[in-house]
Amino acid sequence: MNASKRRQIFERLAAAIPEPTTELHYDTPFELLIAVVLSAQATDKGVNKATAKLFAAANTPQAILALGEEGLREYIKTIGLFNSKAKNIIALCERLLERHGGEVPHDRAALEALPGVGRKTANVILNTAFGQPTIAVDTHIFRVANRTRLAPGKTVLAVEKALEKHTPRAFRKDAHHLLILHGRYTCTARKPKCPQCPIADLCEYPEKTAATE
């Protein structure tokens, strides 16, 4: 995979996905942070269904703390791992108020110091809420990067570093969502939709799905 091919891949993905953004519903950085924490091992659709009711009742750290852990669980009990997520979110809200005046911080170290927030979540917030050119590698991006040979790596961090190194500057801000959406709807896990894929001729996956399959 050379630089010219990588640029063509991103150009075509950008043409195919003109508005690359998260499918999580949110209005503020705090709402996005809560939605991303809830989205671990859960679908965006499931998270959106829960947060529609949660955010109508409580969409600030103070309001969620007022619910308490038990009250918060009632809103998110349809989401996987809701008990641990409720505990982390309550602790996260306390930390935001104690250290950041209730505001979501703009830097990685401060974000990763929040309960329930790891590198991937921090990257999502930095990119989606604050417009930084970070690339959060989830299962979709990990699969697409390795399958296409765009940025192969054996670990999530290795793929992230490879994407940071090889993604053309013009596409760094949108690369995260371009690759997620491509993986979610076209380069799917079990049976990639290669006949409909806009980058099939550039992709180096040796086991492409045939049109007759």
Side-chain angles (χ1 to χ4, degrees):
M1 180 69 67
N2 57 41
S4 174
K5 192 181 282 189
R6 288 189 179 96
R7 175 169 287 278
Q8 289 181 70
I9 284 174
F10 280 110
E11 287 173 347
R12 290 193 198 175
L13 290 179
I17 309 169
E19 295 183 12
T21 189
T22 182
E23 294 184 311
L24 292 169
H25 297 166
Y26 73 99
D27 289 320
T28 65
F30 176 73
E31 287 186 359
L32 177 63
L33 177 59
I34 298 304
V36 176
V37 170
L38 290 173
S39 72
Q41 298 184 45
T43 65
D44 286 1
K45 184 178 180 180
V47 171
N48 289 337
K49 187 174 181 180
T51 56
K53 295 178 180 178
L54 172 62
F55 293 158
N59 68 342
T60 65
Q62 297 92 331
I64 286 183
L65 284 178
L67 289 177
E69 190 175 326
E70 186 175 347
L72 175 58
R73 281 201 298 265
E74 285 301 304
Y75 285 99
I76 66 171
K77 62 186 179 183
T78 56
I79 298 173
L81 308 175
F82 69 92
N83 282 315
S84 60
K85 289 175 181 178
K87 183 177 182 179
N88 280 332
I89 287 171
I90 291 296
L92 180 155
C93 290
E94 291 173 343
R95 187 75 59 87
L96 284 178
L97 289 168
E98 289 171 1
R99 299 189 181 181
H100 305 287
E103 298 296 319
V104 178
H106 289 58
D107 67 277
R108 179 189 303 284
L111 283 167
E112 290 187 22
L114 297 172
V117 176
R119 184 179 182 87
K120 184 177 76 172
T121 296
N123 277 338
V124 173
I125 301 305
L126 292 172
N127 178 266
T128 307
F130 302 125
Q132 296 185 28
T134 54
I135 302 174
V137 178
D138 70 348
T139 55
H140 295 299
I141 292 182
F142 187 80
R143 179 176 66 255
V144 171
N146 276 291
R147 182 182 275 169
T148 62
R149 309 306 292 172
L150 176 68
K154 293 183 178 180
T155 66
V156 166
L157 185 59
V159 169
E160 179 186 332
K161 294 300 183 183
L163 284 169
E164 287 178 348
K165 179 180 179 180
H166 296 302
T167 301
R169 185 177 297 274
F171 299 101
R172 280 289 299 275
K173 182 177 178 295
D174 289 333
H176 168 70
H177 290 114
L178 288 172
L179 295 172
I180 281 181
L181 294 170
H182 182 63
R184 185 172 289 168
Y185 295 110
T186 303
C187 195
T188 49
R190 292 185 181 178
K191 187 178 177 182
K193 300 173 183 177
C194 302
Q196 292 83 45
C197 177
I199 62 168
D201 59 315
L202 301 170
C203 169
E204 297 181 3
Y205 183 52
E207 300 174 25
K208 291 186 176 70
T209 305
T212 55
E213 290 185 43

